Amino acid sequence: PEGFDPDAFAQAFGGGGMGGFADLGDIFASMFGTAGPFGRSRGGRSRGADIETSLEISFREAALGGRHSLRSGIGKVVDVNIPPGVETGSRLRVPGQGAPSPKSGPPGDLYLNIVVRPDPHLRRQDDNVELTLPLTVGEAILGTQVDVPTLDGKVRLNVPAGTSSGAKLRLRGKGIARPDGSRGDQLCRVEIVVPKLRPEDREARRLAEELERYTRLSKIRAF
């Protein structure tokens, strides 16, 4: 404005000429005890910048949680605590692991955008884990034991005789970890795989025809 003397204004607040404006953030910080309009933190120390990056983790890490080491955007190795049950799109804040302050202030924070790698066998359904379990016709009719993958490694599953396609066999406590320490279940959905017979497979065809004659007596259809 007209009549404004910038040197006099700066000197009135302890500055020295036009250069005094560089310290106005410190003036406001000392007056109010907090960050002023110039972005200074308490005591005139600038805070470091936040860093945001993506973190890809395995399906098991996402389901059960645990520690994960990564190299941040400034080249620093950081140990991160992955909480159980995170999904793709979850955002984790790691305090104090961002960029350092340019003026000896506190560092910024590190923000991680979670990406969960799909598992080749397991799928998530709320707090449960699902698995498609292929069975032969004979296994479904007679019953069997099958080693199936879980979050905790392979587990032997008992398949009752007479299991139909679409049935879900439950493994309790083998699902997603919850904050209270409990876990969901694993559901193994049965899928009966029927082989294609070749013209020369006469014995297999004869056995299949006998099986068909037998199963007709069970009246599986109500129409």
Side-chain angles (χ1 to χ4, degrees), residues 108-193:
D109 297 334
L110 175 63
Y111 289 89
L112 302 175
N113 297 310
I114 299 298
V115 178
V116 181
R117 288 193 301 272
D119 187 270
H121 307 293
L122 304 175
R123 304 176 300 277
R124 180 173 182 172
Q125 182 61 43
D126 298 325
D127 287 344
N128 295 327
V129 170
E130 292 190 347
L131 166 77
T132 298
L133 177 61
L135 293 178
T136 66
V137 175
E139 288 173 329
I141 293 174
L142 302 175
T144 187
Q145 291 185 329
V146 183
D147 290 333
V148 297
T150 74
L151 294 170
D152 305 303
K154 288 193 174 181
V155 171
R156 179 149 293 191
L157 174 68
N158 289 318
V159 179
T163 297
S164 297
S165 190
K168 290 185 178 181
L169 307 179
R170 188 180 299 268
L171 291 170
R172 297 194 179 277
K174 295 297 183 183
I176 307 297
R178 303 187 181 105
D180 63 2
S182 65
R183 289 176 60 178
D185 300 330
Q186 177 166 317
L187 304 176
C188 303
R189 185 178 60 82
V190 172
E191 184 178 89
I192 297 177
V193 179

Side-chain angles (χ1 to χ4, degrees), residues 2-212:
E2 185 177 353
F4 176 73
D5 187 343
D7 289 335
F9 180 82
Q11 290 171 2
F13 287 92
M18 289 297 289
F21 286 105
D23 297 320
L24 286 180
D26 292 331
I27 295 171
F28 277 95
S30 63
M31 292 172 62
F32 299 106
T34 185
F38 293 87
R40 300 295 183 94
S41 63
R42 187 181 301 275
R45 297 179 302 163
S46 300
R47 181 178 176 275
D50 293 336
I51 295 176
E52 186 162 347
T53 187
S54 295
L55 174 61
E56 186 176 281
I57 60 176
S58 68
F59 184 87
R60 185 180 185 277
E61 284 180 297
L64 302 182
R67 301 291 291 177
H68 188 104
S69 294
L70 70 147
R71 190 173 295 277
S72 69
I74 58 174
K76 182 180 179 182
V77 177
V78 179
D79 285 330
V80 180
N81 184 40
I82 306 295
V86 297
E87 301 181 77
T88 293
S90 298
R91 194 167 185 255
L92 302 182
R93 173 176 170 264
V94 188
Q97 296 298 335
S101 167
K103 290 195 174 181
S104 302
D109 297 334
L110 175 63
Y111 289 89
L112 302 175
N113 297 310
I114 299 298
V115 178
V116 181
R117 288 193 301 272
D119 187 270
H121 307 293
L122 304 175
R123 304 176 300 277
R124 180 173 182 172
Q125 182 61 43
D126 298 325
D127 287 344
N128 295 327
V129 170
E130 292 190 347
L131 166 77
T132 298
L133 177 61
L135 293 178
T136 66
V137 175
E139 288 173 329
I141 293 174
L142 302 175
T144 187
Q145 291 185 329
V146 183
D147 290 333
V148 297
T150 74
L151 294 170
D152 305 303
K154 288 193 174 181
V155 171
R156 179 149 293 191
L157 174 68
N158 289 318
V159 179
T163 297
S164 297
S165 190
K168 290 185 178 181
L169 307 179
R170 188 180 299 268
L171 291 170
R172 297 194 179 277
K174 295 297 183 183
I176 307 297
R178 303 187 181 105
D180 63 2
S182 65
R183 289 176 60 178
D185 300 330
Q186 177 166 317
L187 304 176
C188 303
R189 185 178 60 82
V190 172
E191 184 178 89
I192 297 177
V193 179
V194 179
K196 285 188 175 182
L197 296 180
R198 299 169 298 177
E200 60 269 25
D201 295 330
R202 296 185 178 86
E203 180 62 16
R205 183 174 296 276
R206 183 187 67 79
L207 294 174
E209 290 171 349
E210 288 187 11
L211 177 61
E212 169 61 18

